[in-house]
Amino acid sequence: MDYITLISWILVFLVIVGLILAFFRTFERSKPRVEHLVLIAILVAISIIGTLPTAAIPGLQIASFIIIMTGIVFGKETGFITGVLTPLVYGLFIGLGYWTVLEMVAWGLMGLTAGMLSVKLEENKYLRVGFGFAWGFFYGWITNITMLPFLSSVNLTSVLGIYIASAPFDLIHAITNAVLLLLFFGLFERIFKRARDKYITPRENTSLN
C-alpha cells in the first residue's frame, strides 16, 4: 500500500470517528438521566454476553438482535449508542483493531435505523424479520471494507471476490437475526419496555422515537 492510499484510509477513519464523537456530544447535551446511561451500559453488556459464547462461529452475531431490539424499544439514539459501544467493549475481550471502527459504524447504523423504523417494525412481523435478515448482509458489506487495503489492486473483480467469500457468513448472520426476531421479539419487547418505562422519562421516550 502506498503512502497516499494509507493517508487516505487514515483520513476516512478519522472522519468516521469524528462523526461518532459528534453524535455522542449531541447526546450528552441532551442531559440524559443517570438511569438512562446505566441502562445503556446494561444493554451493551447483554449484547456482549450473548455474543461471546458464539465468537468462534463466524457470522453468528447474537448482539445484532439485542441492538435491533434496543433501537425498536428505546429509540434511535439509544440504539445507535448501544451499537457503537458494543464492538468497542467487545474488542477488549477478543482484541481491538482498525476493523473495530467499521464494526461500530455497522452496529451503530443498525440500531439507528431500527429506531427510525420502530413503529413499523413493531407492528409488522414480516417487515421486522426482513429488516433483521437484510442487516445480516448490510453489516457484512460495511465491515468487509476493512479488507480492501490488503488487496494488491482494488478493482471490481477483487472487491467482488471479498464480498462473495463473505456471503456464507453474512447469510448465517441474516438467518440468526431473522429467527431471533421471529421467536423472541415479544419476550424481549416486554422486558425492554418495562425497563424503558421505569428508567427513562416520558420526555426522553418521546425524543428518542
Side-chain angles (χ1 to χ4, degrees):
M1 188 190 308
D2 58 54
Y3 288 111
I4 295 177
T5 304
L6 178 61
I7 292 173
S8 299
W9 278 103
I10 292 174
L11 289 175
V12 168
F13 277 85
L14 287 176
V15 169
I16 292 172
V17 172
L19 291 173
I20 292 173
L21 291 176
F23 189 98
F24 272 80
R25 181 59 178 166
T26 301
F27 178 72
E28 181 187 4
R29 287 175 179 170
S30 69
K31 297 181 180 179
R33 297 173 60 195
V34 173
E35 292 89 346
H36 191 175
L37 299 177
V38 172
L39 188 59
I40 290 175
I42 293 172
L43 291 167
V44 171
I46 293 172
S47 297
I48 294 169
I49 291 171
T51 298
L52 278 176
T54 60
I57 305 175
L60 194 58
Q61 300 282 10
I62 308 298
S64 294
F65 167 68
I66 302 298
I67 291 166
I68 292 172
M69 289 299 308
T70 298
I72 292 174
V73 176
F74 295 99
K76 58 182 183 292
E77 291 184 11
T78 302
F80 179 81
I81 292 171
T82 302
V84 166
L85 291 179
T86 294
L88 193 60
V89 179
Y90 183 57
L92 298 176
F93 295 93
I94 65 170
L96 293 167
Y98 68 94
W99 59 84
T100 305
V101 176
L102 285 174
E103 289 177 342
M104 292 167 69
V105 171
W107 265 327
L109 290 176
M110 187 184 297
L112 178 69
T113 52
M116 293 171 67
L117 299 172
S118 60
V119 176
K120 293 181 179 179
L121 294 177
E122 271 192 289
E123 295 176 348
N124 192 316
K125 175 177 65 176
Y126 301 103
L127 180 61
R128 185 166 63 243
V129 170
F131 177 88
F133 188 87
W135 260 108
F137 285 94
F138 293 156
Y139 176 92
W141 295 345
I142 293 171
T143 55
N144 282 346
I145 296 173
T146 59
M147 299 300 297
L148 299 184
F150 297 99
L151 296 175
S152 56
S153 61
V154 179
N155 52 56
L156 181 61
T157 302
S158 59
V159 172
L160 282 177
I162 289 176
Y163 282 80
I164 291 171
S166 75
F169 308 114
D170 298 337
L171 181 61
I172 293 173
H173 190 176
I175 292 173
T176 302
N177 289 349
V179 170
L180 291 176
L181 285 167
L182 182 64
L183 298 180
F184 299 107
F185 175 79
L187 173 63
F188 277 80
E189 182 187 35
R190 289 192 296 273
I191 294 171
F192 282 11
K193 280 188 174 180
R194 288 195 199 104
R196 182 194 66 186
D197 295 341
K198 184 174 181 179
Y199 296 112
I200 302 180
T201 65
R203 177 185 63 81
E204 287 176 309
N205 279 331
T206 302
S207 65
L208 294 180
N209 287 291

